[in-house]
Amino acid sequence: MSASSTVRGRRSHRKSRNGCQQCKHRKVKCGEEKPTCDNCMRHGVRCSFAVSTRMAETASSLTEATSASSRNSTPNSSGRRSPPVRSPDNTATSLPQPPSSSSTSDLAIADLELLHHYTTSTAYTFSANPILQTLWRVEVPKIGFTAPYTLRAILALSALHLAGLRPGHRHHYLGLASTHHDAALRLATPAIAQLTPTNATPLFLFSALSSFICCAKPLKLGNFLLWEGHEIANWLLLIKGTGTIVAVAEDTLKSGPLGLLFSVHRQPLAYNFDDASATQHAFLEDLRQFILSESQDDTHAKAIYSEAIDHMSHCFTLCREKGWRLETADVFMWLLRVPHDFLLALKEYQPPAMVIVGYFCVLMHQLEWIWCMRGWGTHILSQIYEQVPGPVYRAWLQWPMEQIGVLPGR
């Protein structure tokens, strides 16, 4: 081998010590994109480049202000600058002070405000039970600190709450809510695809928070909450997915910080449709007979509609036992249990499926005490009334409309 020959080794790459602090901490190569590197953007963390940029802008503005002040003063005979120019009211115009060690330029004040509002106000609105209120106020933020997507969902929900409480700043808070929830969805998607007992708790909480977030968004025509256009609502698919989460990590969830959700005032999950509880509501039995007659020879449709009514009958039984003072889980359990094919019928605007949802609106109306559920029962039922064809289907909506107090055509 000649002396000039070389041994090929691993291809070298440019080394740099200019990466952001977050990439250095994780010991990964930083792309050095500014003001936020791609790694930090992908992980949803605050990049030190962004902080440096803000500090540079602050320093630049201070330099300009100082230079302007210097130009406005003139040197005296000793070569020194004269005192600052005084304003008409004889007060001296002071120079900008350099940032102190307590500068807040690197703090996300808007996010801190959202977290403060959540712990002091929003957390108390999800349940009337003091024990569960404490869980939402104390344990839920702790879980959020372990999973950025859950923390983002908490901030989004707090922003939506503030949007209703401060109408003068409504658009500002709606914008914050959208930003945080979009980021939460991007971060949660890969975690959902790799569900394990370790991440089951924050994912379960994320799905619950997402349901509140979608309910808290402004009402609009064409949004039936459960479906919009010809698509099933994304939050509903997430809620349905909690069944999978529980199946994978039931022991972890029930023994962990969210265990109280599964035990406080919770009715047994198992029930038998053969007992009297499934057939004690005459209004639902009349509806069942009508739906079955409308389905005629479609055996599959009869089965899914009948099963949906069975599950709803259990919810109405639970409502009566609780004196119609319901928690969200008492109502949303119906959404967890209805067949997926029933949701497919909804997105195709099948009249029998929509009429069944009209009866579900009576249950939703019992959640009006929760700010994010306010108005949804009336909103959905009114739209269903306008959507179903002919007077026959509308006649079957008379009972839920009387229960809620909805007037035809409103």
Side-chain angles (χ1 to χ4, degrees), residues 22 33 55 58 93 153 181 204 209 246 262 266 297 305 394 400:
Q22 288 70 25
E33 299 84 4
M55 293 178 65
T58 302
T93 303
H181 194 216
F204 181 91
L209 290 167
V246 173
F262 297 88
R266 188 65 63 242
D297 297 329
Y305 292 148
R394 289 184 175 182

Side-chain angles (χ1 to χ4, degrees), residues 371-394:
W371 61 276
C372 58
M373 297 302 301
R374 204 162 294 145
W376 271 110
T378 301
H379 178 73
I380 297 174
L381 185 54
S382 299
Q383 291 190 103
I384 290 175
Y385 183 87
E386 295 297 327
Q387 187 72 34
V388 295
V392 175
Y393 282 106
R394 289 184 175 182

Side-chain angles (χ1 to χ4, degrees), residues 97-254:
Q97 297 298 314
S100 65
S101 59
S102 61
S103 173
T104 59
S105 62
D106 58 342
L107 293 178
I109 301 299
D111 295 345
L112 294 177
E113 178 198 21
L114 296 180
L115 186 58
H116 173 266
H117 180 74
Y118 173 85
T119 56
T120 59
S121 181
T122 309
Y124 290 93
T125 65
F126 303 129
S127 175
N129 188 300
I131 296 177
L132 293 181
Q133 288 176 347
T134 300
L135 182 146
W136 284 104
R137 180 175 60 86
V138 178
E139 297 300 332
V140 166
K142 288 182 180 179
I143 297 171
F145 295 140
T146 70
Y149 49 84
T150 303
L151 183 58
R152 290 271 196 167
I154 292 171
L155 298 181
L157 191 54
S158 177
L160 288 168
H161 192 203
L162 280 168
L165 295 175
R166 302 176 183 175
H169 301 278
R170 174 182 175 84
H171 294 295
H172 167 69
Y173 288 115
L174 289 179
L176 289 177
S178 179
T179 298
H180 281 299
H181 194 216
D182 289 347
L185 288 170
R186 289 195 302 270
L187 293 170
T189 299
I192 293 173
Q194 300 178 2
L195 176 63
T196 66
T198 302
N199 64 9
T201 295
L203 282 176
F204 181 91
L205 181 56
F206 170 75
S207 67
L209 290 167
S210 292
S211 67
F212 285 123
I213 290 170
C214 292
C215 292
K217 290 180 178 179
L219 304 176
K220 65 177 182 178
L221 290 177
N223 183 0
F224 291 80
L225 187 61
L226 312 186
W227 79 100
E228 185 174 3
H230 285 279
E231 296 295 333
I232 301 171
N234 288 331
W235 75 270
L236 182 53
L237 296 176
L238 281 172
I239 283 292
K240 296 283 284 184
T242 58
T244 303
I245 297 175
V246 173
V248 170
E250 182 175 4
D251 292 339
T252 300
L253 289 171
K254 291 185 177 181

